[in-house]
Amino acid sequence: MSALLDLLKAEPSGMPSTSARRKALAWARVSTDMQEERGLSLPEQLRQIQEYALQLDIEIVEEFSEAASAYKSKAKRPEFDRMLARAREDSDISVILVHDLSRFSRDSINAQTLIRDLRRAGVEVLSVSDPVIDRESVAGVYMEHILLAKNEAYSREVAFHTKKGCRANVQTRDPETGWCYKNGGQPLWGYRSETLQRGEERRGRPIYKSIWVPDDTIVSGRPVFEWTKECLRMAADGASLDKLRDFCNSHEIPAPRSRYWGATTWHSILELNCLLKYAGYEVWNVRGKQQRRNPPEEWVVVPSAHEALISEEEALQIHQTRQAKAGNTFGRAVNRTRRSHYLLSGGIFTCARCGSRMIGYAKSNGKTYYVCGSLPNRRGLGCGPGVYVPREELEREVIRGMDGLISRFAEGRGFVTRVNEKLEQLWREQNGCLPDAAARLAEVDRKIDNLWRAIEDGIIDTSRANDRLKELQRDKDALEKAQTPTSGPPRIDAKTVRSYLADTQKLLASGDNETRKDLLRRTVEHIELAPEQLEVKITYRVPEPILNDLTGRDSTGSGGLLHQYAPIVLAAWVLRRCRLAKSGRHARGR
């Protein structure tokens, strides 16, 4: 018998060898200088990750790092996105190594989603500092949620204390100058930041504070703060945003963040909170998360916080003048909102030459166009000769392309089957259902039987056995619950798909502008005007079944790009072009 067993052990299993060295990506992140001081610098994180990889015999093929908050929007974490893309695209990568899970993401829901998606793609996220979690066990599910929730709670606590410190700082006056301290950030145009050393920390390191003073840098023969005063006096006398913009550009005064001034820059400078600052007030907490404006009652307003460039009466006069003109737009540029009848406004359509948004523009003859935002806001400075793209023709072309793609959306091979698989997967995750619950339940029953035999044979102490039995019984109860859901997953059929398709096409044709814009952004990735070539490039998002049909590729199975997203969120793209013919400075679609 032993010889036969030896032969069986030596027989090839037909499965790939697990002895091959695993390949990994390393990820490190810092968000504050304090983390550098506490030994959490990028080099130190990477050094510890390298040691950890050496212990587990894991090969690190590429290192990624970033100095950014893990609680910000993903648009501000380009290196993180690049690392995720490499992990998903490279089939050799099976591990992402991090110093701790908070370096990966401190938003618990976002972290769970990312880790789950990577796991489906065959990539495991391993932490150097956090305990190893058996995610296949019931206890592991709880532990993972606790760890990620702990990271998010810590992040929120730090934010709370930071905000409290900032609130106190702006109300603290410097003992020598009498001005209030600032919390950082770029000073308002006309001011500059002056750094002061005020005492030392316990470790002997100097404490630095900053205040605002008038900017005396000489520009075009005069100090900047004098140009600021003159412009604000012009605004008080009723000067338009266009006039202020042209005045600054004609005198070659650099804008706060670029070379040329735009009407939108002056619109921001003349907002009430900025006017209060020019009158000597400090105004803090004007904007919250994602730059959303807080209600005025939440602002922190401190009088005589720095030297005033205008009087309170002048600030009030400017505000009242602006209020009287509140109904006007910048030049003839059209207001861009979600409800705007310009379907491509809001950033989805940009100029390839300067990167500015294409905005709606109405001419005096009643015709409407899209133009580069530099044209009405900066007289074309920083870009070049304007191109007027006919609004109706371009929108018709975009919707025609959308309609064609949506029609093919429901015709992709196996589309209904794939959507039902995805719906079932999401349903199981939301209801706590485990696809392998039956197998795991049988394994728990086997362990319970073995434990009773051990008790009967006197191999194990009864008190120790009781603790283990309670633990196994808890696992069994959880698995039985996961095995018996109260209702089945939602499902669709071809008839339902055709109904959704008809509704979508109806909304595209006659829905309100906000609904049409929302549908458009789900299907169109980006639109770009190439002014020199007089060409508009429309980039659509395309679901995987349609992409396979368009490119001639065959993708079988339920994996692939489609399963990294919700069923109707699209995962790849193709290009469509509509040529533009020049007529003066206009471009006509054909």
Side-chain angles (χ1 to χ4, degrees):
M1 179 63 73
S2 59
L4 182 59
L5 289 175
D6 291 339
L7 287 173
L8 289 173
K9 291 178 182 178
E11 186 73 18
S13 63
M15 298 295 290
S17 172
T18 58
S19 61
R21 196 176 187 194
R22 302 173 73 186
K23 295 185 178 181
L25 303 177
W27 170 253
R29 180 190 63 81
V30 294
S31 58
T32 65
D33 295 335
M34 189 179 297
Q35 290 176 349
E36 294 277 350
E37 297 172 8
R38 293 176 178 175
L40 293 177
S41 65
L42 295 176
E44 177 61 20
Q45 289 183 44
L46 292 172
R47 185 191 66 78
Q48 293 186 30
I49 289 172
Q50 290 163 1
E51 289 184 355
Y52 185 74
L54 190 62
Q55 294 173 6
L56 299 181
D57 194 29
I58 295 176
E59 177 187 355
I60 297 177
V61 297
E62 189 173 358
E63 294 179 347
F64 296 84
S65 61
E66 201 166 52
S69 171
Y71 210 76
K72 298 291 183 181
S73 64
K74 74 170 190 174
K76 297 182 180 180
R77 302 181 67 191
E79 282 299 298
F80 185 70
D81 292 340
R82 194 167 70 86
M83 184 265 297
L84 291 179
R86 170 75 191 274
R88 286 166 175 154
E89 294 168 3
D90 191 340
S91 58
D92 291 336
I93 303 299
S94 61
V95 180
I96 293 177
L97 294 173
V98 297
H99 181 266
D100 60 80
L101 290 176
S102 67
R103 303 299 92 199
F104 192 73
S105 177
R106 278 193 169 152
D107 184 332
S108 60
I109 295 177
N110 182 53
Q112 289 173 31
T113 302
L114 288 174
I115 292 173
R116 186 177 296 150
D117 287 345
L118 288 168
R119 200 180 304 154
R120 291 189 195 122
V123 181
E124 182 182 9
V125 179
L126 290 181
S127 167
V128 174
S129 305
D130 294 311
V132 178
I133 298 174
D134 179 11
R135 293 183 172 89
E136 297 302 319
S137 69
V138 175
V141 174
Y142 287 110
M143 282 300 299
E144 183 177 41
H145 281 66
I146 290 171
L147 275 176
L148 297 174
K150 177 206 68 172
N151 293 334
E152 180 173 344
Y154 174 76
S155 179
R156 292 181 183 274
E157 184 179 13
V158 169
F160 170 78
H161 290 293
T162 300
K163 191 172 182 179
K164 184 172 66 174
C166 289
R167 184 184 297 272
N169 189 60
V170 297
Q171 299 179 79
T172 303
R173 297 188 180 276
D174 180 64
E176 295 184 15
T177 64
W179 303 127
C180 291
Y181 296 134
K182 305 300 180 183
N183 285 327
Q186 184 175 354
L188 201 59
W189 182 62
Y191 291 97
R192 64 177 176 84
S193 181
E194 185 172 290
T195 303
L196 309 172
Q197 182 178 341
R198 293 294 180 259
E200 294 182 347
E201 295 178 346
R202 292 180 180 179
R203 299 180 181 179
R205 298 184 62 177
I207 297 175
Y208 293 104
K209 296 288 186 179
S210 64
I211 59 172
W212 281 5
V213 296
D215 188 354
D216 52 7
T217 305
I218 303 299
V219 172
S220 298
R222 296 171 61 184
V224 172
F225 75 88
E226 289 190 5
W227 287 116
T228 307
K229 287 183 177 181
E230 182 169 352
C231 288
L232 292 173
R233 281 195 295 269
M234 291 171 59
D237 292 337
S240 66
L241 301 178
D242 286 350
K243 186 175 182 179
L244 292 168
R245 172 201 60 203
D246 295 343
F247 175 83
C248 293
N249 287 331
S250 64
H251 287 83
E252 298 183 348
I253 304 169
R257 291 181 173 83
S258 62
R259 180 179 177 184
Y260 299 109
W261 286 83
T264 52
T265 305
W266 269 110
H267 173 74
S268 299
I269 285 178
L270 297 182
E271 288 186 339
L272 179 58
N273 58 294
C274 293
L275 292 175
L276 284 170
K277 291 184 179 183
Y278 281 125
Y281 288 85
E282 173 55 42
V283 186
W284 181 78
N285 198 37
V286 175
R287 298 190 183 275
K289 285 186 178 181
Q290 300 177 347
Q291 292 301 301
R292 292 180 179 173
R293 196 179 186 90
N294 293 325
E297 56 267 21
E298 295 183 12
W299 297 1
V300 177
V301 181
V302 184
S304 302
H306 47 258
E307 185 176 337
L309 297 186
I310 58 175
S311 65
E312 291 187 35
E313 290 74 17
E314 288 175 309
L316 180 60
Q317 185 178 351
I318 294 172
H319 179 64
Q320 290 174 341
T321 302
R322 295 290 302 140
Q323 287 291 99
K325 297 181 178 181
N328 295 346
T329 56
F330 310 141
R332 282 171 295 190
V334 180
N335 185 31
R336 295 164 293 172
T337 66
R338 286 182 56 85
R339 294 178 176 82
S340 168
H341 56 282
Y342 287 83
L343 296 182
L344 308 181
S345 63
I348 196 172
F349 188 15
T350 61
C351 172
R353 185 161 54 195
C354 68
S356 297
R357 295 180 175 187
M358 300 289 290
I359 63 176
Y361 196 87
K363 280 187 165 287
S364 57
N365 59 8
K367 293 185 177 180
T368 53
Y369 301 87
Y370 288 101
V371 298
C372 174
S374 68
L375 182 63
N377 290 332
R378 299 192 299 272
R379 302 286 190 195
L381 294 174
C383 183
V387 175
Y388 292 76
V389 183
R391 169 206 164 202
E392 292 184 1
E393 294 181 39
L394 178 58
E395 290 180 359
R396 238 186 341 258
E397 172 68 20
V398 172
I399 291 176
R400 183 163 54 245
M402 287 175 58
D403 188 64
L405 288 172
I406 291 172
S407 297
R408 299 190 67 177
F409 185 79
E411 299 171 3
R413 294 191 297 269
F415 172 75
V416 174
T417 301
R418 292 187 181 206
V419 171
N420 283 328
E421 289 175 355
K422 185 64 179 180
L423 289 172
E424 183 174 356
Q425 175 189 321
L426 294 172
W427 173 79
R428 288 186 180 278
E429 290 172 358
Q430 293 172 2
N431 289 275
C433 300
L434 301 173
D436 59 344
R440 291 169 61 176
L441 187 59
E443 178 65 17
V444 171
D445 285 334
R446 186 186 63 79
K447 290 180 180 180
I448 292 175
D449 291 340
N450 290 340
L451 192 59
W452 279 115
R453 291 195 191 96
I455 294 173
E456 291 174 357
D457 296 339
I459 299 174
I460 187 172
D461 180 71
T462 305
S463 59
R464 289 174 53 199
N466 284 335
D467 294 337
R468 179 58 176 158
L469 280 171
K470 290 178 182 178
E471 182 181 341
L472 289 171
Q473 188 60 48
R474 284 195 297 268
D475 290 348
K476 182 176 180 179
D477 293 341
L479 287 168
E480 286 176 343
K481 184 178 179 181
Q483 190 184 25
T484 56
T486 55
S487 61
R491 302 188 67 82
I492 65 169
D493 53 23
K495 182 179 178 180
T496 306
V497 172
R498 286 193 294 271
S499 174
Y500 286 153
L501 174 61
D503 290 343
T504 302
Q505 292 172 327
K506 183 178 179 181
L507 286 172
L508 278 176
S510 58
D512 61 78
N513 291 323
E514 186 171 359
T515 301
R516 296 172 74 199
K517 291 181 79 168
D518 185 60
L519 281 172
L520 184 144
R521 278 159 175 75
R522 292 174 182 269
T523 312
V524 179
E525 176 74 18
H526 185 60
I527 305 173
E528 187 176 70
L529 167 69
E532 305 301 333
Q533 294 78 24
L534 292 174
E535 184 176 82
V536 172
K537 183 171 68 175
I538 308 168
T539 305
Y540 293 93
R541 295 173 179 166
V542 183
E544 190 182 19
I546 299 176
L547 181 65
N548 297 335
D549 292 341
L550 293 172
T551 60
R553 294 189 308 163
D554 184 24
S555 176
T556 58
S558 59
L561 291 172
L562 185 64
H563 271 236
Q564 294 176 13
Y565 303 88
I568 62 170
V569 179
L570 315 175
W573 49 82
V574 293
L575 303 181
R576 291 175 59 92
R577 290 175 171 85
C578 67
R579 293 292 301 176
L580 299 178
K582 201 167 188 179
S583 173
R585 292 176 62 201
H586 296 67
R588 183 178 66 247
R590 70 181 183 186

